[in-house]
Amino acid sequence: KHLVLFVLLPASLLILLFNFLPSQAQIDQSTAIQSNIARTDLLQKLASTTGSKRIELIRTNILDKDHSYDPYRYDVNVSPSMSQWSNDETQRSGLLPEDIVPLLEEYILEGPSDNTRIFAAKQLAYEYDALGRKEDGDQALITAAKPLNSNSTVAKQLELLRAERALNSGDITTAETILEQTPFPSESQEELNAQKAWLTGRLLFTKGKAQEALAVVNDGLESYKKFWQDIHKQMNAATSSSNEGSTDNTGSAAAPEAGTSDTERQLESLRTAIQSAIDMGNTSTAVVSGTLTRSDGTPVPRAGIFLRAESEVNHSITSAEPYRIVTDTEGRFEFHGVIPGFYQLQLGLGYDQIDGWTWPVQYDDWIEVKPDDRLNESIVLQPLLELQSPINQETLTGKTIDFRWKAVEGAAYYRLSGGGEGAVLGVQIRDRIVDNHISIPVEELYDGGGFSYGSSGDGWESIDPLSLLGFMNPEVRFSWNIEALDADGRLITRSNGYRLNEDTVGNLPFFYLKERELTTADQLLLDKKTDQALEMYQKNIADDPQDVHALHMLVKLMLAKSSLTKDTTLEDKAIPLLEKLIQLQPSTNYAFTLSQYYFDHADWKSYNEYYSYYNELNRSNTNGYVLSINATALMQQGKLEEARKQFAIALKYDDSHRFIGSFLAAELYAGESLSSVMTLAERYPELSFGHSGYRWPRMIKQLLAEQKNQPKVFDQELKEKLEWYVNGQTDVLKQWIASAKPSALKTFMQEVLEVR
């Protein structure tokens, strides 16, 4: 959990969820040697074993060991929104694809008729897909099912897998034939019925029968949920009965929680996607394809490609993903039957594939899939940017730090970020650097930094002292990262990534900053004696009113405590101290925090003063969030035309379009029609987690429908509610929302009010 500097999200700081990766993964250098030894030993064991013992060796060393029954498992998963990596190298058998394919073929012919046959067939199909032999992958499922009773659960599961593969490859006829010819009992195989409903819903939507698809998915989801709710009740009843008259519950099994299965998530996600598409009139599917290559043109085979919907990108990859594929020998991938909506691509890679390379993806990189699209979304990995100084544990003691790195061809500017080892937060230090070097005063580093608190609790006591001190801690090793961007603000490459051998390791981005020493108050903070530290900083200021460090830390602690304890009086007391601090040491962070405080209190004279000062200190005000806040402030000061221009500029710099709702409200209040505002809503979809990119267009469509009933009455009421919002009469607007009957206007105004 984390909050950013002074609670109020200054523009110069970012939580570096993706960029702040370890520069060198902790992987044993002898892994390759150990893997070869393991492979040789296993192949020798297999060669000397026959019958059931040989089948068991295949099961334990391939099916169980390599992928835990899911072939789409990778060392590294990379996406615009998150990155994950694994050091689970001990799980590898060391076998090569050419070893694995014949062993899996053997298993599906001679192995047991249980679920492991399904796992073997899935993995074999994956291996063939990676070789570009999709037909052989399809045949593997048929072969695995041949010796089975056609009414068995395993046989039916294999048929559903065939139908899914047919859908994924665009073979609608085969998918439809399989689903029509694979009936399931209504009770005993509810899991399979739900999976069939999921596939049937996708099939029907692909055929242009969106409403039928939605009905099938709704029925399947409700039936599935009811089935497991009944099971849950029965288990609870059985548990209660077995515990009657006994005070010792040790050993009693807890009933499983409902609503957590991959199948239910699949159905819910599909229902959301279909409903959203219907609402927008997007009732035909699309194809998304591309290649994964390196910048030198070499393909990256055997990589996982996941096309993930808005509702799915906020959690890790699961087996419920509808659009996933492995690249073939040419690095190609292709998704068929993609329901219109907003998606992000995610990569699954091995350490050997990502070593020395990076995917220059950004947080707001979304793909809008429209009906009947045939999109090419090729991905190119770029070499990691090389750093020159400070590097390799260098200790710095001066008043400035000279950062230098190798210039990147095509770079219009660079972005410098960094942070301390062990801290949750990283800091954007400087943006729009035009040269491949820059000198940063240490005071600028000291000004930055957020604060975080850990899982031990949500209170004041759990605050992380490392995050509070940031670059002011001389005992911490720091790391830095450079991103190179083109003239359009698109990322070209970065320095942070995986460097795993002598050829790729380069210069390590680590340094120590020992320009200052820890004070007694700092040490109390590191010892997690936060209240004592706060008192000591106060004493230091009383002894020396010009003590900038103590004043900075006191303000930071007060604002952090105010945020965590919800004690707003602490924030009020901190502001005069911050105003004193900015006089002693001007800072964009301080100026923005002060402007934000006065914005929240509608003190427009003070807000304008500090926002103007922020612009004086800031080298380039291109932060969409800051510009949007100022547009809102202009609007609430009655400067509507200025606000509209500022919103339009801000949205161009903010790819998430998080303030589009406020812009729409300002445009409507200025007299623009709902139809013209619809165009803006579609041009600037809000692409932030937890929301649909179509939510504002959907609301405008609902307003248009509501307007048709009584146009004059509707327009008058809309104007009144917008006037409350534009003039900052939020209490009046909230009271109306609380008492008004459900309507499109109520929904719209409630959402506008919640724009942050």
Side-chain angles (χ1 to χ4, degrees):
K1 299 177 181 178
H2 41 258
L3 294 170
V4 185
L5 177 62
F6 295 124
V7 183
L8 301 178
L9 190 62
S12 61
L13 300 182
L14 292 177
I15 301 167
L16 303 178
L17 297 177
F18 175 78
N19 301 331
F20 207 61
L21 293 173
S23 296
Q24 189 171 15
Q26 301 301 312
I27 301 176
D28 189 346
Q29 294 182 356
S30 64
T31 296
I33 297 173
Q34 293 174 350
S35 182
N36 286 332
I37 293 173
R39 172 177 179 262
T40 301
D41 288 346
L42 179 55
L43 290 176
Q44 289 176 350
K45 286 181 183 178
L46 286 165
S48 62
T49 309
T50 59
S52 61
K53 290 185 177 179
R54 178 177 168 87
I55 293 297
E56 180 63 13
L57 270 178
I58 296 173
R59 185 186 71 78
T60 56
N61 287 279
I62 298 179
L63 299 183
D64 287 0
K65 207 162 191 176
D66 267 6
H67 298 292
S68 298
Y69 298 141
D70 184 4
Y72 289 88
R73 295 270 307 276
Y74 303 93
D75 296 325
V76 181
N77 284 287
V78 184
S79 76
S81 54
M82 68 174 69
S83 286
Q84 297 173 304
W85 56 94
S86 168
N87 288 330
D88 194 18
E89 290 293 310
T90 58
Q91 293 294 313
R92 302 305 168 89
S93 65
L95 294 183
L96 303 174
E98 54 264 36
D99 303 323
I100 292 173
V101 168
L103 293 172
L104 290 173
E105 289 278 14
E106 180 181 346
Y107 195 91
I108 65 171
L109 289 172
E110 302 179 21
S113 301
D114 58 15
N115 282 344
T116 60
R117 179 174 290 262
I118 299 172
F119 306 142
K122 287 171 68 174
Q123 189 170 337
L124 182 56
Y126 173 93
E127 295 293 339
Y128 277 131
D129 287 347
L131 294 170
R133 296 164 56 184
K134 179 192 172 297
E135 294 78 8
D136 289 333
D138 296 336
Q139 184 59 46
L141 298 180
I142 297 173
T143 301
K146 273 185 179 179
L148 304 176
N149 182 324
S150 60
N151 289 321
S152 70
T153 300
V154 173
K156 292 180 184 297
Q157 184 67 65
L158 289 168
E159 286 297 286
L160 289 179
L161 287 171
R162 284 185 60 212
E164 183 178 355
R165 284 176 62 82
L167 270 177
N168 292 344
S169 63
D171 186 352
I172 304 305
T173 302
T174 299
E176 188 170 25
T177 300
I178 294 170
L179 291 172
E180 286 179 351
Q181 296 178 356
T182 311
F184 298 111
S186 59
E187 296 180 359
S188 60
Q189 295 178 325
E190 189 62 37
E191 190 74 30
L192 293 178
N193 282 324
Q195 291 174 20
K196 183 179 180 182
W198 179 68
L199 291 170
T200 303
R202 291 178 59 190
L203 173 67
L204 288 169
F205 191 94
T206 301
K207 294 178 66 177
K209 301 178 180 180
Q211 291 291 351
E212 290 181 45
L214 184 61
V216 167
V217 173
N218 275 328
D219 289 346
L221 180 58
E222 293 309 310
S223 176
Y224 184 80
K225 290 169 73 172
K226 184 179 183 304
F227 174 80
W228 283 108
Q229 285 169 359
D230 290 344
I231 294 294
H232 193 69
K233 289 177 183 177
Q234 292 170 16
M235 293 184 68
N236 281 338
T239 302
S240 298
S241 176
S242 66
N243 288 336
E244 279 187 17
S246 172
T247 58
D248 182 10
N249 292 331
T250 304
S252 63
E257 292 185 11
T260 57
S261 75
D262 282 350
T263 301
E264 186 167 340
R265 281 194 290 268
Q266 279 182 319
L267 287 166
E268 288 179 338
S269 177
L270 181 58
R271 178 172 65 177
T272 299
I274 293 175
Q275 185 65 67
S276 177
I278 290 173
D279 290 345
M280 295 304 298
N282 299 332
T283 53
S284 57
T285 59
V287 177
V288 178
S289 62
T291 56
L292 174 61
T293 60
R294 296 185 176 88
S295 59
D296 60 8
T298 58
V300 183
R302 299 184 66 82
I305 309 289
F306 302 85
L307 185 65
R308 311 192 71 199
E310 287 175 291
S311 59
E312 302 300 309
V313 296
N314 60 345
H315 62 74
S316 302
I317 292 283
T318 72
S319 60
E321 305 289 329
Y323 308 119
R324 63 179 185 172
I325 198 170
V326 60
T327 56
D328 65 14
T329 53
E330 300 300 317
R332 294 173 298 201
F333 60 90
E334 187 168 84
F335 299 102
H336 289 263
V338 180
I339 297 174
F342 291 93
Y343 294 84
Q344 286 189 340
L345 283 171
Q346 181 162 327
L347 302 186
L349 299 164
Y351 284 125
D352 59 325
Q353 293 172 313
I354 196 66
D355 182 18
W357 298 84
T358 185
W359 178 26
V361 67
Q362 294 169 288
Y363 186 74
D364 288 320
D365 282 348
W366 292 88
I367 300 167
E368 183 178 6
V369 176
K370 297 179 180 179
D372 302 314
D373 269 349
R374 296 193 68 88
L375 299 179
N376 183 293
E377 295 293 334
S378 292
I379 301 167
V380 180
L381 304 183
Q382 298 291 339
L384 290 172
L385 191 156
E386 293 300 324
L387 303 180
Q388 295 174 342
S389 70
I391 53 173
N392 302 334
Q393 329 286 346
E394 184 178 353
T395 297
L396 307 175
T397 58
K399 294 293 184 182
T400 60
I401 301 180
D402 296 321
F403 292 97
R404 185 176 293 273
W405 54 94
K406 186 177 180 180
V408 174
E409 184 178 354
Y413 64 94
Y414 300 89
R415 181 180 296 145
L416 169 63
S417 306
E421 194 171 37
V424 175
L425 297 181
V427 182
Q428 181 176 297
I429 299 169
R430 187 74 70 83
D431 197 5
R432 297 195 168 268
I433 306 167
V434 294
D435 294 318
N436 64 319
H437 56 86
I438 191 168
S439 182
I440 303 288
V442 293
E443 289 83 0
E444 184 175 335
L445 295 180
Y446 294 165
D447 289 347
F451 71 90
S452 61
Y453 56 104
S455 57
S456 59
D458 291 349
W460 171 236
E461 296 77 13
S462 67
I463 198 161
D464 177 17
L466 290 177
S467 67
L468 283 165
L469 276 174
F471 283 100
M472 292 177 286
N473 190 345
E475 297 179 354
V476 167
R477 186 176 71 168
F478 298 104
S479 176
W480 61 291
N481 174 40
I482 285 290
E483 294 175 310
L485 300 98
D486 64 19
D488 295 323
R490 305 303 304 168
L491 188 63
I492 300 174
T493 186
R494 55 168 63 88
S495 62
N496 221 356
Y498 293 91
R499 303 172 184 270
L500 309 178
N501 60 61
E502 292 181 359
D503 294 331
T504 59
V505 67
N507 293 319
L508 299 180
F510 300 122
F511 66 94
Y512 290 90
L513 181 55
K514 296 184 180 292
E515 184 271 338
R516 64 180 299 274
E517 295 180 355
L518 291 173
T519 66
T520 302
D522 295 339
Q523 193 59 61
L524 286 169
L525 185 60
L526 289 174
D527 293 339
K528 296 191 175 181
K529 299 175 181 178
T530 48
D531 285 322
Q532 293 180 43
L534 194 149
E535 292 175 3
M536 181 59 71
Y537 287 126
Q538 288 176 321
K539 182 179 183 303
N540 291 342
I541 295 167
D543 294 340
D544 179 6
Q546 307 298 309
D547 189 337
V548 172
H549 171 71
L551 193 55
H552 172 88
M553 292 305 299
L554 177 60
V555 171
K556 196 170 185 179
L557 279 168
M558 290 174 71
L559 291 175
K561 189 171 184 178
S562 172
S563 172
L564 295 174
T565 64
K566 310 303 180 186
D567 182 357
T568 58
T569 62
L570 277 172
E571 182 184 27
D572 295 337
K573 292 176 181 177
I575 293 304
L577 297 173
L578 184 55
E579 290 180 322
K580 178 181 178 181
L581 179 58
I582 199 171
Q583 292 176 3
L584 295 172
Q585 186 168 297
S587 161
T588 55
N589 292 328
Y590 301 156
F592 180 79
T593 301
L594 286 165
S595 71
Q596 189 78 335
Y597 173 83
Y598 288 117
F599 173 92
D600 292 339
H601 289 75
D603 181 345
W604 302 122
K605 181 177 182 298
S606 298
Y607 166 81
N608 292 330
E609 176 187 342
Y610 282 109
Y611 182 74
S612 176
Y613 192 26
Y614 168 83
N615 282 330
E616 286 180 27
L617 297 171
N618 194 24
R619 291 164 180 80
S620 59
N621 189 4
T622 57
N623 184 289
Y625 177 78
V626 178
L627 291 171
S628 296
I629 290 290
N630 188 54
T632 307
L634 290 169
M635 181 176 64
Q636 294 187 9
Q637 293 176 71
K639 303 174 183 179
L640 186 60
E641 291 308 308
E642 290 180 61
R644 294 171 68 192
K645 293 176 182 178
Q646 185 91 135
F647 274 128
I649 295 170
L651 285 166
K652 293 178 181 178
Y653 286 113
D654 180 11
D655 291 337
S656 71
H657 308 141
R658 63 190 293 178
F659 280 84
I660 180 61
S662 297
F663 187 31
L664 299 179
E667 292 297 289
L668 287 170
Y669 184 68
E672 294 295 324
S673 68
L674 284 170
S675 298
S676 65
V677 165
M678 170 65 88
T679 303
L680 288 174
E682 292 175 336
R683 185 187 306 163
Y684 299 113
E686 183 179 0
L687 299 171
S688 57
F689 303 112
H691 294 305
S692 166
Y694 293 125
R695 75 184 188 116
W696 291 104
R698 279 207 305 264
M699 281 188 276
I700 300 299
K701 286 183 70 174
Q702 291 163 358
L703 289 175
L704 282 164
E706 198 164 273
Q707 185 187 47
K708 288 181 180 179
N709 297 326
Q710 293 181 299
K712 290 184 179 180
V713 174
F714 176 88
D715 290 345
Q716 184 178 353
E717 191 173 8
L718 175 61
K719 187 76 172 181
E720 178 186 49
K721 304 307 179 280
L722 289 170
E723 185 173 13
W724 293 345
Y725 173 71
V726 168
N727 292 333
Q729 296 174 268
T730 55
D731 290 340
V732 177
L733 188 53
K734 287 178 181 177
Q735 288 173 9
W736 173 77
I737 290 171
S739 60
K741 294 179 180 179
S743 67
L745 178 57
K746 175 179 175 177
T747 299
F748 176 75
M749 294 309 306
Q750 187 167 13
E751 292 299 315
V752 167
L753 200 57
E754 292 177 1
V755 172
R756 296 288 186 275

